[in-house]
Amino acid sequence: MQRTTIKQVMSKRQWLGALGAIALFTGGCMSMMKGVPSDLDYSTARATENGAFRLSYKTDPALIPISKLHQWTIHLETPEGKPIDGATITVDGDMPQHGHGLPTRPEVTQNLGNGDYRVEGMKFQMGGWWIVNFGITADGKRDQATFNLMLK
Ligand SMILES: [Cu+2]
């Protein structure tokens, strides 16, 4: 088809749809990046929402791979910095712009001691903005922390 013909025939909405399809084809989730809030906090260590704990994470490998199973190690401590062992921790991930979560069900599989915990089953199937949420129950308290990730 010739360009002039398309312009005449297609409505604006169709054009946007076609452009979106092209962007998705060429850039995957990158086409959605324009909707990512500009003030997101990408820090890997933070206080939990109600301030009950502090939580941080490291990934292995350090550069998070796409579509590949990998491990995280999280570190849990009191607001004063004392490591907490024996916590019950749940993991979940989501792409807020896409309405889908992780393809896996990651779990904390081991308390490594000194407030460290191994998380297995992490896998992100596409680049873009992800949130990873940890629900923590420890010392008779319950709190959660959400981390933002921008994967490429
Ligand atoms: Cu997605």
Side-chain angles (χ1 to χ4, degrees), residues 1 3-20:
M1 278 202 289
R3 199 169 188 168
T4 47
T5 312
I6 297 170
K7 268 183 183 165
Q8 285 160 359
V9 176
M10 294 180 98
S11 69
K12 192 176 181 186
R13 175 172 288 184
Q14 283 174 317
W15 258 110
L16 288 173
L19 289 173

Side-chain angles (χ1 to χ4, degrees), residues 29 95 97-100 125-127 129-130:
C29 275
M95 289 192 92
Q97 297 169 292
H98 297 181
H100 67 73
Q125 69 268 46
M126 61 180 72
W129 174 32
W130 284 87

Side-chain angles (χ1 to χ4, degrees), residues 89-136:
I89 303 172
T90 60
V91 193
D92 202 5
D94 193 64
M95 289 192 92
Q97 297 169 292
H98 297 181
H100 67 73
L102 295 165
T104 54
R105 292 194 171 277
E107 289 179 356
V108 171
T109 54
Q110 197 181 349
N111 186 178
L112 302 166
N114 201 32
D116 289 346
Y117 298 79
R118 175 174 292 138
V119 185
E120 293 186 79
M122 296 299 287
K123 184 178 176 181
F124 302 95
Q125 69 268 46
M126 61 180 72
W129 174 32
W130 284 87
I131 58 172
V132 175
N133 176 274
F134 293 96
I136 301 153

Side-chain angles (χ1 to χ4, degrees), residues 37-145:
S38 58
D39 59 346
L40 286 179
D41 180 353
Y42 295 105
S43 58
T44 61
R46 65 192 322 159
T48 51
E49 278 179 16
N50 295 315
F53 314 109
R54 281 195 61 81
L55 188 69
S56 61
Y57 74 87
K58 285 180 185 154
T59 66
D60 181 19
L63 186 64
I64 295 174
I66 304 293
S67 291
K68 197 174 174 197
L69 274 174
H70 62 286
Q71 288 188 7
W72 288 27
T73 301
I74 55 174
H75 179 75
L76 180 67
E77 56 186 33
T78 65
E80 296 77 31
K82 183 171 168 280
I84 300 173
D85 289 317
T88 301
I89 303 172
T90 60
V91 193
D92 202 5
D94 193 64
M95 289 192 92
Q97 297 169 292
H98 297 181
H100 67 73
L102 295 165
T104 54
R105 292 194 171 277
E107 289 179 356
V108 171
T109 54
Q110 197 181 349
N111 186 178
L112 302 166
N114 201 32
D116 289 346
Y117 298 79
R118 175 174 292 138
V119 185
E120 293 186 79
M122 296 299 287
K123 184 178 176 181
F124 302 95
Q125 69 268 46
M126 61 180 72
W129 174 32
W130 284 87
I131 58 172
V132 175
N133 176 274
F134 293 96
I136 301 153
T137 306
D139 295 347
K141 295 173 204 156
R142 202 177 169 81
D143 207 349
Q144 61 173 328

